[in-house]
Amino acid sequence: MKLQRKNRRALALGALAVSGALALTACGSDDTGGKDDAGGGSSTAASNSSIKCDGAKGQLLADGSSAQKNAIDAWVKEFSQACGVQINYKGGGSGAGVTAFGQGQVAFAGSDSALKPEDVAASKKVCSGGQGIDLPMVGGPIAVGYNVPGVQDLVLDAPTLAKIFDAKIQNWNAPEIKKLNPNAKLPDLKIQAFHRSDESGTTDNFTKYLKAAAPSDWTYSGGKAWQAKGGQAAPQSSGVAQQVKQTGGAIGYFELSYAKDLSTVAIDTGASAPVKATVDNATKAIADAKVVGTGSDLALQLNYATKADGAYPMVLVTYEIACDKGNKADTLPATKAFLRYIASEDGQKILTEKDYAPIPDAIISKVRTTIEGLS
């Protein structure tokens, strides 16, 4: 009798183990697409994840815009947990990313400026039968942060900013700054203007704003490389922000996500009130952009000289650059799955949490369609 009871207990425990294994198997086949036999996707993806791995496996190398680095880090964390794919995004700057992509060193690149004709020509050598295309993915304001003791709610306009970053205004109590801030106690303090030392799409967009809104005061041709005289240089957005934070009298430009614990300038655009660098104000400006790319390229034209109420004009859009055709077979599934996720509704929601601006619906819907056609 004692032996029979032991046998019945063993059978019962065995049945529970089988049912538990079946339940775990069912959980592992949710809509993430994560299946161990489907090419390396993790079967331990969160049950509430909408990420579709679709056979993604291995690792991806990517490089480019440091402006979107905080967003990429958040996306990579979610995607890697769901699909088991390792993504190494260096964030060495837009210039470095475009160069690496043109040399076939990375699966995709990030750039805060659309590809130039010479970049497209170079991409055709690595995109077999295709070319590199621009996919607008991350939006946001370029904040101008400053470190001036005792001064809050600083207001500047485009001509004054142009003169500051061209070393034509060198003191914080200059008449031009006083005129815009009549109630501020501006100190007799030397201005320390910081710009990017590396080639940067942030620099490109910042100077495009100055050129559009203050053409008589900013006479440089523009581009990813800093051209004005004077000032001090630091690498990447994080480096500029750090220098502003630790240097009295400093001012510099970087994405809003790098402006934590820093005061930022409100811009006098000619609207009814100065406009602060916020996600919502940047989205208002980006929504006014026009798609000027051809074919599957979705390059945008931004209106830097807008005077619309509540529209922050100093914005950038970061593009993910990928081959429309001719992607490498071993990285295409992971590249496509990752881009699909970051363009999705869930992926774009993360941007707001990280002080970036989601791409407006009319544009991101085109991005999603284009991603599905990558081959």
Side-chain angles (χ1 to χ4, degrees):
M1 290 293 291
K2 190 178 293 184
L3 183 60
Q4 288 177 340
R5 282 197 297 270
K6 286 183 178 179
N7 287 341
R8 283 197 298 270
R9 186 179 298 118
L11 287 170
L13 290 171
L16 283 171
V18 170
S19 65
L22 288 171
L24 287 172
T25 302
C27 289
S29 59
D30 61 14
D31 65 355
T32 65
K35 298 177 183 179
D36 288 339
D37 60 355
S42 171
S43 62
T44 60
S47 60
N48 63 350
S49 173
S50 62
I51 299 173
K52 297 181 179 180
C53 302
D54 285 350
K57 62 180 179 180
Q59 63 177 353
L60 292 179
L61 297 179
D63 196 4
S65 165
S66 66
Q68 68 169 356
K69 184 68 164 58
N70 292 335
I72 288 283
D73 287 347
W75 281 332
V76 166
K77 180 180 178 181
E78 296 295 324
F79 184 78
S80 296
Q81 286 178 349
C83 301
V85 176
Q86 180 184 350
I87 300 178
N88 181 7
Y89 183 81
K90 292 173 64 177
S94 297
V98 172
T99 298
F101 183 79
Q103 295 175 349
Q105 298 173 357
V106 293
F108 70 91
S111 176
D112 307 322
S113 301
L115 293 169
K116 294 180 179 179
E118 56 267 32
D119 300 325
V120 174
S123 73
K124 291 180 179 179
K125 299 176 183 178
V126 297
C127 302
S128 180
Q131 66 178 50
I133 58 172
D134 299 289
L135 300 171
M137 202 70 74
V138 181
I142 300 174
V144 177
Y146 66 95
N147 181 353
V148 183
V151 177
Q152 296 180 331
D153 301 321
L154 184 70
V155 175
L156 296 174
D157 58 13
T160 307
L161 276 169
K163 292 172 186 175
I164 287 173
F165 280 92
D166 199 21
K168 293 175 181 175
I169 295 178
Q170 300 187 358
N171 233 51
W172 279 108
N173 61 353
E176 297 93 334
I177 302 177
K178 281 184 175 181
K179 184 178 179 180
L180 291 164
N181 302 271
N183 298 320
K185 294 182 179 179
L186 296 165
D188 182 8
L189 179 66
K190 181 176 173 58
I191 294 173
Q192 307 284 349
F194 284 89
H195 58 263
R196 289 281 290 271
S197 61
D198 52 323
E199 288 200 356
S200 161
T202 310
T203 293
D204 191 16
N205 285 275
F206 177 62
T207 55
K208 279 179 179 176
Y209 161 72
L210 295 177
K211 191 175 179 180
S216 60
D217 295 295
W218 193 263
T219 57
Y220 301 97
S221 61
K224 293 187 180 75
W226 185 257
Q227 296 174 332
K229 310 301 180 185
Q232 301 179 61
Q236 304 177 5
S237 293
S238 57
V240 174
Q242 183 61 35
Q243 288 298 324
V244 172
K245 187 177 294 187
Q246 66 188 25
T247 306
I251 187 170
Y253 60 91
F254 33 78
E255 296 67 43
L256 183 62
S257 64
Y258 290 94
K260 303 294 186 186
D261 304 320
L262 279 170
S263 298
T264 58
V265 171
I267 304 298
D268 183 348
T269 64
S272 61
V275 187
K276 291 287 287 183
T278 69
V279 168
D280 288 343
N281 291 347
T283 298
K284 289 178 183 177
I286 295 170
D288 193 34
K290 295 179 176 64
V291 176
V292 294
T294 58
S296 53
D297 185 84
L298 296 174
L300 301 176
Q301 184 179 64
L302 298 167
N303 181 11
Y304 296 100
T306 181
K307 294 183 180 180
D309 284 347
Y312 185 81
M314 205 184 308
V315 295
L316 61 74
V317 169
T318 301
Y319 302 93
E320 309 312 329
I321 297 168
C323 296
D324 57 355
K325 298 177 183 177
N327 286 278
K328 294 178 181 178
D330 58 338
T331 58
L332 175 60
T335 300
K336 199 167 178 178
F338 182 67
L339 293 178
R340 179 189 293 120
Y341 161 58
I342 67 179
S344 71
E345 187 175 341
D346 285 349
Q348 289 288 298
K349 281 180 181 177
I350 286 178
L351 293 178
T352 304
E353 300 169 7
K354 299 297 179 181
D355 291 326
Y356 294 99
I359 301 299
D361 290 342
I363 300 172
I364 201 66
S365 62
K366 295 178 182 178
V367 173
R368 292 166 184 157
T369 300
T370 302
I371 290 170
E372 294 308 317
L374 299 182
S375 62

